[in-house]
Each structure stands twice: as structure tokens, then as C-alpha cells.
Amino acid sequence: MHGCAQLLEGLTAAQIEAVNAAPGPMLVLAGPGSGKTTVVTRRIASLLEQGVPPWSVLALTFTNKAAGAMRERVRALLGGRATNGLTIATFHAFAAAQLRQLGERAHVHEDFSIWDTADQRSAMKQAIVDAGLSTGNWTPASVLSAISDWKHRLRTVGDMEAAGTDFYTRNLSRAWRAYERILANGRALDFDDLLLKLAVALRDDESVREQFTSRWTNLLVDEYQDTNHAQFVIASSIASGHGNICVVGDPDQSIYAWRGADIGNILEFEKRYTGARVVNLGTNFRSTGRIVSASASLIQHNATHREREHVAAGDEGEPVVLMTSVDEHEEARELVERLREHHEQDDVPWCEMAVLYRMNAMSRVLEEAFRDADIPHVVARGTAFYDRKEVRDALAMIRLILNTRDDVAFRRIVNVPPRGLGATTLDKVERMAAREQLSMLQAMQRLAATGTLAARASKAVQAFLSMLDGWCIALAQGLAETDLAAFVATVIAESGLEAHFKAGGDEEQERLENLEELISAAADREADVMQAMDAHDIPPLRQRVAAWLESIALVSDADAIDPEQGAVTLMTLHAAKGLEFDVVVIAALEQGVLPHARSAQDPTQLEEERRLCYVGMTRARHHLMLTRARLRTLRGIRERTAGSAFLEEISAEHVRHIESEPPWGSSAQDTPVFQASPSDSGVAPGVRVRHLRFGDGLVRRVLQRPQGTTATIDFDDWGPRTLYLSRTSLEVLSKDDLF
């Protein structure tokens, strides 16, 4: 395709306006499926066709894939014409290249290394130790996340030290200072430094700024709604000398505030660039009319939404389906069967289907449903549930309790989370195990008995052995009435895993949710066992734990994917941005899930959750289904849910409702979980009771579960135990017995 006229072939009036616009500031509001990449690449090609030197054009985007696709499209549009000097790159790649050129002018060594995420975490772990802090209380991930937020805002460790009036900030700045020393010693920069160093150089050094503005006189920025403050400073500094800046984006698709994106950059563009041209790409070439209208009706509830036309280029299509199920298992089975119908009746390939969800932990039930239905599936941009590190860590602990000679499990969890068991101590254990043909645990026990360990190491070893011994006793003495989910929850809590990830804040929230889902998985397994067996034949806890671990091991191997048909994609809503499928399902549209519970008291976060739902809806080309469950198991407890408020905001005329089961109250399975009132037997929270085996204890809570009412009792000698009241005998102690 050659010539400016040919570059406009097939474009809408709005697209032509954006491609042909005269130099100067321009905001292109590009809704979902509106052809923004087409506009950006054709504008670049148009500039070059008009005689603009390639070396004066700079286009910045966010992913290597997007940058590569743009370069290829421009070359194809120009028919092989030379584009030497044309720069189309990610912000980070552009910054790295320019910093090497600037060297000392940007206060970096020209041969600096760039540390990836693993390098950064390793360095921060050492920095935390160097700062005299505990890696148990100060996790590398959480510290790096906090520092990243400061760097995005072009703040330095010195700024943090000056602001450090509270305990948290003072200690955080100590870790940051130690981290900076490690970076300097390694002549290295992390990802945030790339943007920070270039932005500061452009902001503070007039000669650097003039060099950039005179070189790149035509600037284009893709996905502008996702820029953080550092990226804003880089772009605005380059444009400051000429004002030829074209930004393309959509405030309705700004979903990355948690990693520093500032929606204000796009919302305030016209204030910063007076007289800027605004072009609205309102035609959606991806989705059917019903999907476009339904998603538009949702996003208009955001205060940050700009009223604009939403038009589908194609036909109206089918209504959006809203399916309500009894629980998450029925939800998963039903959506899987509807995907099968699309595959068998509509000839939709598996690879053109996706199931989206708010939290990674939610993939577990979905994965099981797809396996049971023998439908090929992949977990995209993530790890299958039982392969996630924190899940494997927790399972390794349970494996070691079941088999104390499991050295693989021992090595995995002996210092996870950090317990103060250093390399020297563990090396001694390894050598003794090899020398005396012992398991690792036996070697540790024998080493502890010798009294040769240093006081600190001895204390850490004894604490670990005591914890493990307590679990082994509980497992050995666990009866049929001992709850599997409660046992798993106890191990996760007492091991320190739960506290470790809670201390990590929002950065580690997903790992905590995965551990809670593991408890729910144990509860699901327990429910299956209870339904399949007579109450008198329920095996003891040890057998149920072994069977559960075996069932996990047998389903961990992924089934082969049909190379012709591909696989259904399971992924988070965040990961789905930029993708599209013929059929999309968004699961678990419930309060506390989508929108996430963290947004309940924050209108800004609630708007981002609504944008996230909007992004998910607009991934669909032809078929969109939204699902919710009336009951969902959270942390092993079955709870009634409330439908997402977003469902009420979607225009009803575009939605078709399906109830996969009879409405609430018509099924015994619908029994909600609640704090029970005192039972007829007198077992109630706050009452002391006596058990034949466990002795005396205090009732902490009574809960009604699908398989029967349970009581969690804190026994004086055995600690907390959760028992089914229908399968155990408890004596309520009188006042005379209590004192």
C-alpha cells in the first residue's frame, strides 16, 4: 500500500481525522475494538509519507509484543521503504537505550546491568538483613512494592528518610538505603530505576531535555491511560519543545492503579495542552451490538467516564447471558457445558473461548470442572492452582506430617516461611543424614539432641521440631469427626505461612487467597467423602489426608492439548487486557469478589473494579456470559453471597437470565452458613464442654455446614479441634464443674 490516500482506505471518518490531523497535541479516545493500533501505525506511516524524517518519530508503548507489531505494520504499509532511525519501543527499552547514551549526565554507568524481578527480590532479601530487619516481617516483595510506588512518583530514598517520622517509614527507608548500596555495588538498575533516572534527567537537566525535544519532534504514546508519573514526565518533557504529542488511550480501560498507573494523566490531558484536538474512536469492530450496549451501560456509572458514542460495526447478536447457580461447583459445571455447546453446535474452536475471573485462587474449581468434562484448557499468564508456590509449600508441610521421611518435602518447607534456620545449620543436618543414613528429619532430631548447636540455631530447630511433632500427634489421633479443612487451616496458620503473607500487605494478597482456597479444596473433598459414606464408616483423619493428597497428585499432570482445536483459556481479568475471544465467560460476579472486598469503602477503587469488569466484557466478540453463585465456599466455609452491584447497572434489555437450579430455598443444598444459636444440647460459643478423648475445652464457635453442624472447641490439652456434633459426644459442664 503506497501513498497517503491509500493509507486511509477502509477507515472511518474518526480514524481518518486521527491519521491526518495536523501537528500539535491530540488525544485519541480509543474504545475497545476501535482499531487504535491501526490509527497509530497509519499515522506514523502518513508522517513518513509526507517527508517527516524517520529518526524524528518516537512511538512509546507498554509491551514488546505491541512494539514489534507496530514496527511490522509500519514496514508493511510503506512497502519496504526505509524506516531507518524510526523508534517504536516500550518505555523501559527506550529508557535503557537512552541512559546508556547519557551515562554520567544521568548519573549512571554506561555499562549498567538491568536486574529482573528475581534479581531484585534476591537483592532486597539481602538488603533487609543488612538493615537489621526480619525477612519474616519485611518480605522482599512487599518492600519492593512500597519502594516502587515512591520511584514511580520520582521520589528518592533521601525523600523517604526525610519523611520517616513513623516506625514503618523509618525501617522501610533503612531497607531501601541498603538496597541502593547493593545496586550501586553491582552497577545495576532495576526496572523502576530505568524510568526514574531518565525522567529526572529530562526534568532537571535543560541540555538533556533540549537534546531529546530537538531529536524527536513527533511523539506518539499508546495506552496513555496506563502511564505512571515517571512515564508522564518522560513524555511531557520530550513534547515540551514542540507540543507534537499524540496520545491514544481509554480512561474506561485504566485498570492498573495498583502498579502505579495514574488515570489523571489522560483525564487532564486537555488541561495540560490547551487547544488539544480530541478524536473519539467510538465504533467497535470487535463485539456485537448487544455486548457493546451492555458494557456501555455499565461503564457510564463511573464518574471518570466521558460520555461518547458506542457503536458496533457488526450486527446486534445475542443477549448477554447472566447465569445464576446454587454454588461455585454448579457454576463451573454449567459454564463448562455451555462452552461445550458452543464448540459442538456452533463450531467455535476451544482456543476462541476464555473464562475470566477476578482472583487467581478462583481457577481451582474451574480447572477441576474442565478436567472432569475432558475439555482441553490452559491457565494463561499464571500457574495452575496446585502448582502455585504457596500452595505447594502448604501441601509439602502436610506431606511431611503424613510421611516424616519425605526429604523433598522437608527441604522445601524447613525454612518456609523464614524460621531462622541458617545455611550452616541445614548443612550440618544434610551431612549427618548422609553420614548416618537417616532421613533429614531424623538427622535434625539427632543433631538437636547433641547440644552442639549455637543457642539461636538450637532455639529455631526446637521450635520447628515441636511444631511438626504437634501436627503429627494431631494427625495420628484425629478421628472421623475431626474436620479435614480445619486441620489444613491449622497447619497453614501455625506454620506461619498465613502471617507471613498477611505481613506482605496487598502485594501478597493473592497468595493468601490461594491458601484460603486450599482450605476450601479440603472442605470440598470432605463433603464428597461424607456424601459417599455412611456416617459410621468415615475413615480417620490420617486416611482422609492421604487420600486427599493422592487425589491432588493424580490430577496435577495437565492433559495433552489438541493441536488442532487448542484449549480454553482460563485467566484473570487483568491478564485479559488487550485480548479478544469469540466466547467469553466472566465468573463470580458477586459482592466481595467483583467488585473486590478491598473496594468497599473506596469510591476510587470501586470505579477501577467497574472498569475491570468493563474490560472483561469487551473481550467478547460474539457471546458473553456472566455468572454468579448464591453460595460460595470461602476458607472452607460455605457462605451465602450477594450478586455484584455491577449486575444491576447493566441495562436489562441486553441481558437474558438463566437459573441453573431452582431459586433460593428450594434445595437442601442451599442451606447458608451462619453463626448458629445455642443447640438443644447446650453446645454454644462460650460454653465449656468435655470430650471423651480430648478432655475439657471451650466452645469457640458453632457453624452449620452442608454436611452437618460443627463446633470448634479449644481443648485445654489438645488445642483447637473442629468436630461434627452429630458424630461426637460432648458433655456440657455445669457451673459446679467449671470452678
Side-chain angles (χ1 to χ4, degrees), residues 431-452:
R431 290 202 305 270
M432 177 172 282
R435 185 174 61 250
E436 302 189 21
Q437 298 295 297
L438 301 172
S439 71
M440 293 288 288
L441 182 60
Q442 288 173 322
M444 177 175 275
Q445 291 168 332
R446 186 167 298 183
L447 187 63
T450 64
T452 58

Side-chain angles (χ1 to χ4, degrees), residues 262-293:
D262 184 357
I263 193 175
N265 293 343
I266 192 168
L267 293 177
E268 298 171 13
F269 183 85
E270 294 160 88
K271 291 182 180 178
R272 295 192 175 102
Y273 296 94
T274 305
R277 180 192 294 263
V278 179
V279 180
N280 175 30
L281 304 183
T283 301
N284 187 315
F285 296 95
R286 174 191 302 154
S287 306
T288 62
R290 288 281 183 78
I291 294 173
V292 170
S293 297

